[in-house]
Amino acid sequence: MEKTFLMVKPDGVQRNLVGEIVARFERKGFKLAGAKLMVIPSTLAEQHYGEHSDKPFFGELVDFITSGPVFAMVWEGEEVIATARQMMGATKPQDAVPGTIRGDFGVTVGKNVIHGSDSPESAEREINLFFNEDQMVDYKKEN
Ligand code: CMP
């Protein structure tokens, strides 16, 4: 089953949006396969956002994502990568349509509440960066 990496960013955790966001993916029918509340070390943040290392906002991005607890998650389900991106809405909250997470709660392009993998390659890379195999459940094994 397809898996994706989603993360409630420090602004979302601080604004008590974890439950709201988890509920949206649960209601959609996706399964939570792993979750942890953590403060990201800057080395991990730099790896996670490596593709943006030459962008002018890279320093700001790393400072923000390490500024407080995040809620890192692995979700699984059919076409979960693309569907989660749709449910998140556009990166810039002003462009995100109402009904999406960023459309409903996003403030600025930096404080946009949630991160989600944008491709199968990113999903695999990001899941492996944040989770060990034994930190995820395998629903197939349990049934
Ligand atoms: P995310 O999906 O976490 O992936 C990269 C992040 O970079 C993106 O969400 C935005 O929060 C952030 N970002 C994109 N453009 C800018 C910008 N101009 N200034 C600050 N942050 C940005």
Side-chain angles (χ1 to χ4, degrees):
M1 190 56 80
E2 188 172 280
K3 287 190 175 70
T4 196
F5 174 75
L6 301 178
M7 172 168 67
V8 182
K9 295 187 181 185
D11 55 325
V13 173
Q14 200 177 9
R15 291 168 60 201
N16 300 318
L17 293 172
V18 169
E20 163 76 33
I21 290 168
V22 168
R24 288 184 180 216
F25 292 103
E26 285 183 321
R27 289 201 303 253
K28 184 71 179 166
F30 294 130
K31 287 199 172 298
L32 186 59
K36 55 171 107 161
L37 184 68
M38 63 187 287
V39 176
I40 306 183
S42 40
T43 46
L44 176 57
E46 283 161 10
Q47 278 179 289
H48 172 67
Y49 280 133
E51 67 185 286
H52 299 294
S53 61
D54 54 354
K55 305 261 171 68
F57 57 84
F58 182 65
E60 199 183 311
L61 187 58
V62 170
D63 283 351
F64 176 62
I65 209 70
T66 57
S67 67
V70 300
F71 193 64
M73 301 166 279
V74 177
W75 284 88
E76 69 173 50
E78 219 170 291
E79 296 191 36
V80 67
I81 299 170
T83 310
R85 295 278 296 184
Q86 280 189 328
M87 291 169 67
M88 286 161 50
T91 304
K92 198 173 159 197
Q94 291 76 12
D95 297 336
V97 296
T100 64
I101 293 167
R102 288 162 171 168
D104 290 348
F105 305 114
V107 181
T108 63
V109 72
K111 292 185 176 167
N112 63 356
V113 184
I114 186 167
H115 166 85
S117 308
D118 61 4
S119 66
E121 295 72 30
S122 310
E124 193 181 346
R125 191 180 74 81
E126 293 172 358
I127 290 169
N128 289 333
L129 268 179
F130 282 84
F131 289 88
N132 295 325
E133 208 49 54
D134 64 0
Q135 295 172 328
M136 290 180 277
V137 297
D138 185 344
Y139 287 97
K140 279 198 304 286
K141 269 191 199 156
E142 291 181 2
N143 292 331

